[in-house]
Amino acid sequence: MLLSVISDIHGNLEALERALEISKELKCDRIMCLGDIVGYGPDPEACVKRVREVSDDVLMGNHDQAVVQPDRIDQFNEMARSAVFWTQRQLSAESMKYLRNLPYTSTWMDLLFVHASPKNPEEWKYLFTPDDAAEQLDAMMSNVCFVGHTHVPQFFTTDPAARGFTLKTEHKYIINVGSVGQPRDGDARLSFGLFDTDRRIYQPVRAQYDAKQTARKIRATDLPSFLADRLLRGR
Ligand code: ZN
């Protein structure tokens, strides 16, 4: 089976549609969404509807949570806050209810899925370095965990001899699929991941999409224009 793992869409419909198109062309059997469907981007409602329609499983991200539980906004900077308030005004009651009920974790076959980190996923920890990941790998019961949250595609493993993305059952892996709708690693192309469950091979995907269109839409709203510039820069 081929699994498509998408995360951090952040209201970017152009990037979401492109990632779904690629997943369809490659005949993915399942689509897993790791959360942060909304926040930052100009099309939160359309993205929630689309993710609901196509995903087999969807998780809660910190931005989804902040939109539906305003008491969880304290960790947000000024720009993220204004995007949360703007997003709240765009979402239907049905989409708000949907976001409120998303789970923090999910498992499928022997795979674990979370938005931020496998240990205490509701704390929204950022795993940027091997040190950040070490404690998490240690505590992890499953062999493989897919995460998003940092918007930086990364691969952490207990296997010191790891080459490429073929996963072994005797080692543990935390795979960050990056962000579909707001990449921050200096590469403006959308990012997500494919996992072949039979061959145990992970494949990172980067692809161009119409970021200029998304940036134009952001500039036509009250959202901070920095959010448009950031999409074109990829950081
Ligand atoms: Zn995010």
Side-chain angles (χ1 to χ4, degrees):
M1 283 240 235
L2 189 61
L3 177 65
S4 168
V5 189
I6 60 175
S7 189
D8 297 272
I9 292 128
H10 287 290
N12 184 337
L13 188 62
E14 288 72 26
L16 173 62
E17 291 297 356
R18 184 71 193 115
L20 294 176
E21 206 172 75
I22 295 166
S23 303
K24 198 174 171 190
E25 281 162 13
L26 296 173
K27 300 189 168 46
C28 289
D29 301 287
R30 278 179 81 84
I31 293 177
M32 176 75 211
C33 175
L34 305 184
D36 273 6
I37 308 171
V38 304
Y40 301 133
D43 287 306
E45 177 70 12
C47 287
V48 172
K49 285 196 174 134
R50 195 72 173 113
V51 166
R52 278 184 81 168
E53 182 182 89
V54 299
S55 303
D56 295 279
D57 218 345
V58 182
L59 299 177
M60 165 99 76
N62 54 320
H63 287 256
D64 306 319
Q65 185 183 53
V67 165
V68 295
Q69 289 180 40
D71 56 312
R72 295 296 304 258
I73 208 171
D74 44 318
Q75 290 177 11
F76 281 59
N77 64 31
E78 207 40 53
M79 190 181 55
R81 267 172 209 237
S82 66
V84 165
F85 297 137
W86 183 86
T87 300
Q88 283 169 336
R89 298 198 296 274
Q90 316 303 316
L91 289 175
S92 63
E94 196 191 330
S95 290
M96 292 284 271
K97 186 175 164 206
Y98 174 75
L99 294 180
R100 203 169 285 127
N101 289 307
L102 292 175
Y104 289 117
T105 64
S106 167
T107 52
W108 179 68
M109 297 176 70
D110 61 337
L111 309 170
L112 175 66
F113 303 88
V114 296
H115 179 68
S117 67
K119 191 180 169 193
N120 306 327
E122 72 287 353
E123 290 177 0
W124 312 123
K125 281 209 175 78
Y126 290 88
L127 309 182
F128 280 113
T129 68
D131 270 359
D132 297 337
E135 177 199 13
Q136 299 279 334
L137 284 164
D138 233 26
M140 216 165 94
M141 301 300 281
S142 71
N143 174 227
V144 183
C145 178
F146 289 95
V147 303
H149 194 45
T150 63
H151 298 209
V152 177
Q154 272 182 305
F155 192 80
F156 301 110
T157 175
T158 54
D159 180 4
R163 294 269 180 281
F165 298 116
T166 303
L167 313 192
K168 301 175 200 156
T169 46
E170 68 271 29
H171 283 287
K172 293 199 239 178
Y173 304 87
I174 294 176
I175 301 173
N176 192 319
V177 299
S179 169
V180 169
Q182 196 199 70
R184 292 181 194 162
D185 59 338
D187 182 343
R189 293 175 303 166
L190 66 85
S191 172
F192 69 104
L194 300 170
F195 187 61
D196 182 327
T197 60
D198 304 313
R199 293 160 66 216
R200 309 290 290 177
I201 293 175
Y202 176 70
Q203 190 194 330
V205 179
R206 297 307 289 256
Q208 300 281 359
Y209 73 96
D210 194 353
K212 284 189 182 143
Q213 169 69 2
T214 317
R216 265 195 298 273
K217 286 187 188 173
I218 290 175
R219 293 202 179 97
T221 68
D222 298 333
L223 287 164
S225 62
F226 171 78
L227 294 171
D229 305 340
R230 183 175 217 181
L231 281 189
L232 304 176
R233 279 201 308 268
R235 66 165 79 247

